[in-house]
Amino acid sequence: ETGVTQTPRHLVMGMTNKKSLKCEQHLGHNAMYWYKQSAKKPLELMFVYNFKEQTENNSVPSRFSPECPNSSHLFLHLHTLQPEDSALYLCASRQNTGELFFGEGSRLTVL
Amino acid sequence: AQKVTQAQTEISVVEKEDVTLDCVYETRDTTYYLFWYKQPPSGELVFLIRRNSFDEQNEISGRYSWNFQKSTSSFNFTITASQVVDSAVYFCALSGGSNYKLTFGKGTLLTVNP
């Protein structure tokens, strides 16, 4: 239990669906991250939010749309995804000393 | 640009053996931080250790120990007397200065057999 909760844990969607991933942290951190983990690839940083402001967009396609309404919640809105977007999406929050604390991830399958 | 290399893709050992996971990094930052994370089958990355570039002292925590050598840009991780519960993917990561974007290596899958 790291204090970072992600829902849903598993999601299957068609290419025309719209869905959202949710992340909530109870650690009092001010920065939150989305990472993508695909098979056989390193973890890829997608977005960083610091005090609710987006500070990093790592050239992520617009079919992924993040939202950070407050420092404790982070969403990843998904629409018209492709099968190659199937992956484990990991949310993390950052402690002031730099450590990231991760959730268990949302396993996404795009059919 | 930052880079983390974990040359060992998979390691398999028998319980009670010692095992070392290698990590080599590249960075132009003079101040940087190194991390190790453990990812069990459940998927969650578990933070193990953070080291800053000014502190080359080795660290020991129970059966875990870390060897940081700036001269060879390496930050290796040793598990002593491995146990089945140590089976997981282990990631080494790097962030530079105040840039808290962690760059991860590809990970090493450690399997500890009974």
Side-chain angles (χ1 to χ4, degrees):
Chain A
E1 186 66 43
T2 62
V4 180
T5 304
Q6 289 186 243
T7 55
R9 293 292 314 281
H10 300 273
L11 178 62
V12 179
M13 59 187 288
M15 289 191 284
T16 58
N17 292 158
K18 289 185 180 182
K19 298 284 185 184
S20 296
L21 306 181
K22 179 182 175 183
C23 177
E24 184 174 359
Q25 58 101 353
H26 307 280
L27 301 170
H29 298 162
N30 294 311
M32 296 184 77
Y33 296 61
W34 280 116
Y35 275 88
K36 175 184 178 182
Q37 187 177 31
S38 306
K40 310 290 185 185
K41 284 187 172 183
L43 280 97
E44 301 171 59
L45 177 64
M46 300 176 72
F47 301 103
V48 181
Y49 276 81
N50 211 354
F51 291 97
K52 303 189 299 179
E53 298 297 321
Q54 187 181 114
T55 55
E56 183 78 21
N57 178 336
N58 199 23
S59 303
V60 180
S62 59
R63 58 186 183 269
F64 294 92
S65 174
E67 179 190 0
C68 189
N70 55 61
S71 293
S72 299
H73 293 85
L74 184 65
F75 295 89
L76 189 62
H77 303 300
L78 317 168
H79 62 99
T80 58
L81 295 191
Q82 306 298 311
E84 60 264 28
D85 297 322
S86 298
L88 181 68
Y89 289 86
L90 290 158
C91 173
S93 69
R94 189 186 79 221
Q95 188 163 284
N96 288 341
T97 43
E99 297 93 302
L100 297 187
F101 290 84
F102 286 84
E104 291 183 302
S106 293
R107 173 73 62 187
L108 173 66
T109 303
V110 182
L111 302 176
Chain B
Q2 297 180 335
K3 186 178 179 182
V4 176
T5 302
Q6 295 180 253
Q8 304 150 310
T9 306
E10 295 186 34
I11 299 176
S12 182
V13 299
V14 178
E15 211 169 13
K16 298 185 183 176
E17 283 186 28
D18 298 348
V19 57
T20 296
L21 309 180
D22 298 332
C23 174
V24 174
Y25 62 91
E26 296 176 28
T27 181
R28 294 179 182 171
D29 292 309
T30 53
T31 301
Y32 53 89
Y33 299 89
L34 294 161
F35 304 81
W36 275 96
Y37 284 84
K38 173 183 179 180
Q39 187 177 36
S42 61
E44 172 185 339
L45 272 84
V46 178
F47 166 75
L48 296 178
I49 190 172
R50 177 184 71 107
R51 213 80 187 125
N52 72 52
S53 51
F54 299 114
D55 184 0
E56 285 194 71
Q57 280 192 358
N58 292 332
E59 179 148 345
I60 298 174
S61 176
R63 296 184 297 108
Y64 295 171
S65 62
W66 291 269
N67 184 327
F68 175 30
Q69 293 197 343
K70 283 179 82 169
S71 60
T72 54
S73 297
S74 65
F75 186 43
N76 296 338
F77 172 29
T78 297
I79 302 175
T80 303
S82 59
Q83 300 176 2
V84 173
V85 294
D86 296 326
S87 297
V89 181
Y90 290 85
F91 291 93
C92 181
L94 164 72
S95 72
S98 60
N99 169 7
Y100 289 118
K101 295 188 296 181
L102 265 66
T103 299
F104 285 83
K106 291 186 177 182
T108 298
L109 172 61
L110 173 65
T111 302
V112 181
N113 298 298

